[in-house]
Amino acid sequence: MAIFVRLPRAVRLEYVPMKSNIRIVLVNTTHPGNIGAAARAMKNMGLTRLYLVQPQGFPCAEATARASGADDLLAHAVVCDSLEQALAGCRFVVGTSARSRRISWPVENPRQCAARMLQECEQGEVALVFGREHSGLSNAELETCHYLVHIPGNPDFSSLNLAAAVQVLSYELMMAHTEQDAGPGEDRRDLAPADEMESFFGHLEQTLVELEFLDANQPRKLMRRLRRLFNRARLDKTEVNILRGVFSAAQGRKLSKKTGR
Ligand code: SAH
């Protein structure tokens, strides 16, 4: 008697070249070996664009050794002075956090995050930001991100090795990319990139201080909420220009009140 076994629907396993507009950004990495191992993890999953913000001891033989064949990624790595510089031109930025509730910011798991990043990268540059081995990303750095991703695990031992975290997230990106059969992402607007959003937040803060709405000595709490609000709204370039026009008008009014003109 023949027995028919229902097999799961076939999963596409062929290699689909990865998107080239995904940046992996490592901030202030202490151990060059981790940079090499991260490059290897990326290349295994088809990612190519490595950005290093103030790496300690790079280039370095240990990084090359740990890259073990991914040294082309190290050779092409973009070394930056600041996170802002590394994120210039990015329309979507995800930060990584070893602790799930470090700050109140939208947090996703790696699978959700990979799907969202791939959707966003249909329209432009995206970045995934990793922190320092000892202290992760600062709150200010996390606040430059639209979302955070946390790799779930043992809550009493939640911090992965940096390169291992790069591996997990690169793998999820590769899987989401391979399985992606959806059409192009729905948000086709010309979103303001990270550097423009930083200038926007600077202008907003300055305006609120001048209007005496914000205490210049304690700007963090309100600014954090406002950042969250505007990041959620995903402003496009025109919207940023309109709002900055409003700020300038408010600043002008305040000035003319003061000078009596
Ligand atoms: N002591 C630091 C841990 C940093 S681990 C802290 O508690 O924040 C170094 C980096 O690896 C992190 O900044 C993050 O980029 C990544 N990482 C480690 N574990 C992770 C996790 N569970 N989820 C997401 N990223 C993680």
Side-chain angles (χ1 to χ4, degrees):
M1 191 179 72
I3 299 172
F4 294 96
V5 179
R6 187 179 278 274
L7 291 169
R9 201 162 66 91
V11 179
R12 270 172 66 195
L13 285 177
E14 76 264 28
Y15 180 66
V16 185
M18 197 56 174
K19 303 273 185 212
S20 61
N21 51 2
I22 302 176
R23 297 180 196 180
I24 299 293
V25 181
L26 307 185
V27 177
N28 226 193
T29 311
T30 312
H31 301 296
N34 278 336
I35 299 179
R40 181 180 183 174
M42 287 171 63
K43 189 167 176 177
N44 284 145
M45 298 299 127
L47 293 165
T48 52
R49 297 186 52 213
L50 177 60
Y51 282 63
L52 303 172
V53 179
Q54 296 188 346
Q56 293 181 28
F58 180 83
C60 167
E62 199 190 340
T64 311
R66 293 286 302 279
S68 130
D71 34 338
D72 52 329
L73 264 71
L74 298 182
H76 291 114
V78 181
V79 179
C80 304
D81 287 334
S82 65
L83 179 59
E84 200 177 341
Q85 197 184 339
L87 299 180
C90 285
R91 62 175 261 132
F92 187 63
V93 180
V94 177
T96 54
S97 174
R99 282 168 279 167
S100 59
R101 285 153 67 108
R102 185 176 166 152
I103 59 169
S104 49
W105 213 250
V107 181
E108 292 192 325
N109 70 36
R111 209 147 291 175
Q112 297 164 324
C113 161
R116 195 186 290 276
M117 285 191 77
L118 284 179
Q119 197 180 45
E120 293 287 344
C121 82
E122 295 287 341
Q123 309 294 329
E125 296 272 325
V126 302
L128 185 54
V129 186
F130 293 83
R132 301 152 187 85
E133 288 92 335
H134 292 300
S135 53
L137 293 168
S138 68
N139 281 350
E141 287 162 346
L142 291 169
E143 284 169 17
T144 63
C145 303
H146 293 100
Y147 276 87
L148 302 186
V149 58
H150 171 71
I151 302 165
N154 180 352
D156 299 324
F157 194 63
S158 63
S159 172
L160 277 72
N161 164 265
L162 171 61
V166 172
Q167 183 72 78
V168 170
L169 291 167
S170 301
Y171 170 76
E172 287 295 345
L173 283 166
M174 188 275 297
M175 285 303 283
H177 177 58
T178 308
E179 289 174 355
Q180 190 184 46
D181 52 9
E186 63 219 19
D187 194 349
R188 297 185 160 279
R189 294 175 305 138
D190 191 12
L191 295 183
D195 45 327
E196 279 180 32
M197 286 307 291
E198 278 315 302
S199 311
F200 167 83
F201 287 126
H203 194 174
L204 172 62
E205 183 170 338
Q206 186 194 352
T207 309
L208 295 179
V209 169
E210 284 173 29
L211 294 176
E212 290 160 22
F213 186 81
L214 179 66
D215 179 356
N217 298 320
Q218 284 195 322
R220 288 240 63 85
K221 227 175 178 177
L222 179 64
M223 282 312 297
R224 179 180 293 175
R225 289 201 89 95
L226 290 172
R227 273 178 175 269
R228 207 162 50 182
L229 166 69
F230 285 114
N231 276 342
R232 197 167 59 226
R234 310 298 313 281
L235 299 179
D236 66 32
K237 289 182 172 182
T238 311
E239 289 163 343
V240 164
N241 285 339
I242 293 170
L243 286 167
R244 292 196 65 165
V246 173
F247 303 160
S248 297
Q251 286 174 311
R253 221 172 238 215
K254 178 81 186 169
L255 191 72
S256 57
K257 251 193 184 168
K258 261 191 183 159
T259 56
R261 273 186 287 137

